[in-house]
Amino acid sequence: FLPAEEAARIVAIKTAVFFIIYWESTEIYIPTAGGGVWFDVWIDTDIDEEGTVVGVLTTAVETTGHKQREQTLKALLREVSHRSKNLLAIIQSIAGQTGRYSDSIESFLARFTGRVQSLASSQDLVTSSNWRGAMLGELAVSQVGRYADPRLGLRVSGVDPYLNPNAAMHIGLALHELAVNSVSYGALSQPGGTVQLAATPEKLPDAAGAVRIEWREAVPVASPASAEKRFGSVALERVVPASLGGTAELRLADGWLTYSLVVPASNFEL
């Protein structure tokens, strides 16, 4: 009933146990249509009252369930390790870019802390979903809600795609930059000001699906919301779209700030 290779191995162990008088343990795997069965096996010498070896005694205990749990745990640990490395790489990139666009230690610490907290907020949503990801709507509420009341200042419309973990982290960072900018210079800095966030499906030139996420808000005429290149605009126009394999455009014209991010379908489930 054992595969030939396993049978030969067990016979060799039994022979050694019989002639050398000791015990041995091993495990056996038997492939089946349902995925296979595992056994822990102990092989001992069988000795009569006169101390003569008369045979071997083999005990086998099925451990399939334990083995499956062990393999699942190892897979989860590998996934956690992989995601942790990705997160550390993102933090390292943010630290470097923030330092490049900061003119003092104090401004660096304030901006870097806010961005790390933004990642932590997105990470909380991803973790609560068992690492599946996060809905765009709840991600927007989470990020904007750190600076303003999203019930009053945020209007969300269109589809609500389920973002995978990588997309949730990077789009969360984009929403953080937009929210900070808005609270400092834009609509959320004004009484009764609101931000429009719309998500609409669209086709890419290669016929693949995508979702266009657009942030739109009215800003004061004299607002410096996008007048200079800072890490925020670099993240919005280069870092985030590059990480998602998409495209982005940040515009400030006629009293309106508009950020449009096209996210390929590989980053979410509609």
Side-chain angles (χ1 to χ4, degrees):
F1 62 89
L2 292 177
E5 186 175 336
E6 286 284 69
R9 185 171 66 87
I10 295 301
V11 167
I13 294 175
K14 288 185 175 184
T15 301
V17 168
F18 182 82
F19 286 105
I20 303 177
I21 311 178
Y22 76 133
W23 65 274
E24 184 64 271
S25 64
T26 187
E27 62 180 14
I28 297 174
Y29 175 70
I30 304 176
T32 66
V37 182
W38 289 89
F39 293 90
D40 278 348
V41 179
W42 292 268
I43 301 172
D44 299 270
T45 53
D46 185 14
I47 304 174
D48 64 13
E49 295 180 355
E50 297 177 355
T52 302
V53 177
V54 295
V56 293
L57 178 65
T58 302
T59 305
V61 177
E62 184 180 352
T63 58
T64 304
H66 173 75
K67 202 73 175 180
Q68 290 174 340
R69 289 190 294 272
E70 182 181 275
Q71 292 173 340
T72 299
L73 180 59
K74 287 181 178 178
L76 288 173
L77 289 174
R78 285 194 298 270
E79 181 67 14
V80 169
S81 176
H82 173 70
R83 293 189 185 280
S84 297
K85 289 177 181 177
N86 285 345
L87 183 58
L88 289 172
I90 294 172
I91 293 172
Q92 183 179 24
S93 175
I94 290 175
Q97 293 288 350
T98 303
R100 182 177 302 175
Y101 291 93
S102 298
D103 53 11
S104 67
I105 293 294
E106 291 74 16
S107 64
F108 167 81
L109 289 175
R111 294 169 182 173
F112 180 66
T113 299
R115 285 156 187 160
V116 171
Q117 289 174 345
S118 165
L119 290 178
S121 179
S122 298
Q123 182 78 359
D124 285 342
L125 293 176
V126 171
T127 303
S128 66
S129 70
N130 293 322
W131 295 89
R132 288 184 57 233
M135 303 295 290
L136 174 61
E138 67 177 355
L139 185 65
V141 169
S142 172
Q143 292 296 337
V144 174
R146 298 176 58 236
Y147 302 99
D149 187 345
R151 296 171 298 178
L152 301 177
L154 181 65
R155 301 289 183 269
V156 180
S157 62
V159 297
D160 191 11
Y162 199 99
L163 306 166
N164 67 26
N166 179 65
M169 300 299 286
H170 284 92
I171 294 176
L173 178 60
L175 292 170
H176 162 78
E177 297 300 329
L178 290 164
V180 169
N181 189 78
S182 184
V183 168
S184 301
Y185 310 112
L188 297 181
S189 68
Q190 305 296 313
T194 60
V195 170
Q196 305 292 330
L197 182 68
T200 55
E202 64 176 58
K203 289 289 187 180
L204 297 177
D206 61 1
V211 165
R212 179 180 295 275
I213 301 172
E214 187 171 271
W215 172 290
R216 181 173 168 81
E217 62 177 303
V219 296
V221 175
S223 170
S226 185
E228 60 178 293
K229 286 293 181 183
R230 302 183 302 275
F231 171 73
S233 58
V234 172
L236 292 170
E237 294 179 290
R238 288 166 36 192
V239 176
V240 171
S243 300
L244 304 176
T247 59
E249 182 182 12
L250 180 63
R251 301 188 305 275
L252 179 61
D254 301 323
W256 289 90
L257 182 143
T258 304
Y259 176 66
S260 182
L261 174 66
V262 177
V263 184
S266 58
N267 292 283
F268 53 76
E269 303 172 6
L270 283 177

